[in-house]
């Protein structure tokens, strides 16, 4: 739940600052960057969302910092538990591969293409 809230805040920040973000570039590389980032953001929402769906449908109560979020159920909602069980782990692996790909591409931009992508990602230099 905490992760989900942080991700929603990150998405709000990204939307609010979308005009200040550098362009992805043109051509196939730019399209791949746009689609990769879209997939990362989508999975950042879906993976914890599916886990929350599982918690909602579970027989056990779900609390965050001792605050009840979902009460205990007398009987589990089977379709939510089954869906989450089928998707959560697999989508997490897909997200891990995308994160690894993101790191590899930053390394390529920095080491091979030397196009300043890492410095743009890190933001403008701070003044002392």
């Amino acid at each position: 739940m905490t992760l989900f809230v942080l991700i929603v805040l990150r998405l709000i920040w990204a939307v609010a600052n979308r005009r200040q973000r550098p362009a992805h570039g043109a051509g196939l590389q730019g399209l791949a960057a746009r689609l990769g980032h879209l997939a990362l953001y989508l999975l950042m929402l879906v993976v914890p969302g599916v886990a929350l769906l599982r918690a909602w449908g579970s027989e056990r109560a779900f609390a965050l910092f001792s605050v009840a979020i979902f009460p205990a159920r007398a009987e589990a909602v089977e379709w939510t538990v089954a869906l989450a069980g089928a998707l959560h782990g697999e989508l997490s692996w897909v997200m891990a591969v995308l994160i690894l790909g993101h790191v590899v591409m930053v390394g390529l931009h920095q080491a091979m293409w030397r196009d300043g992508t890492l410095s743009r990602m890190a933001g403008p230099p701070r003044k002392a």
Side-chain angles (χ1 to χ4, degrees):
M1 185 70 171
T2 304
L3 184 60
F4 191 75
V5 169
L6 290 174
I7 291 166
V8 169
L9 290 174
R10 172 65 172 106
L11 289 170
I12 291 169
W13 179 86
V15 169
N17 290 291
R18 69 184 177 278
R19 303 256 187 256
Q20 299 172 16
R21 297 177 66 127
H24 285 102
L28 188 59
Q29 185 177 347
L31 177 63
R34 272 190 294 283
L35 292 176
H37 287 118
L38 179 64
L40 278 169
Y41 277 108
L42 185 64
L43 286 171
M44 280 193 301
L45 273 177
V46 170
V47 170
V50 168
L52 286 173
L53 182 67
R54 178 177 51 207
W56 175 80
S58 170
E59 294 172 331
R60 297 181 308 190
F62 179 73
L64 176 67
F65 304 120
S66 300
V67 176
I69 305 295
F70 304 130
R73 294 179 176 274
E75 198 173 307
V77 180
E78 290 301 325
W79 72 268
T80 64
V81 176
L83 179 67
L87 293 178
H88 184 72
E90 284 73 9
L91 290 178
S92 298
W93 281 108
V94 171
M95 189 164 78
V97 169
L98 283 172
I99 292 168
L100 179 62
H102 194 267
V103 171
V104 167
M105 290 309 297
V106 168
L108 284 173
H109 278 279
Q110 184 68 16
M112 290 183 63
W113 299 326
R114 301 180 194 274
D115 60 3
T117 297
L118 182 59
S119 62
R120 286 196 320 266
M121 287 173 60
R126 293 189 175 139
K127 295 178 183 176

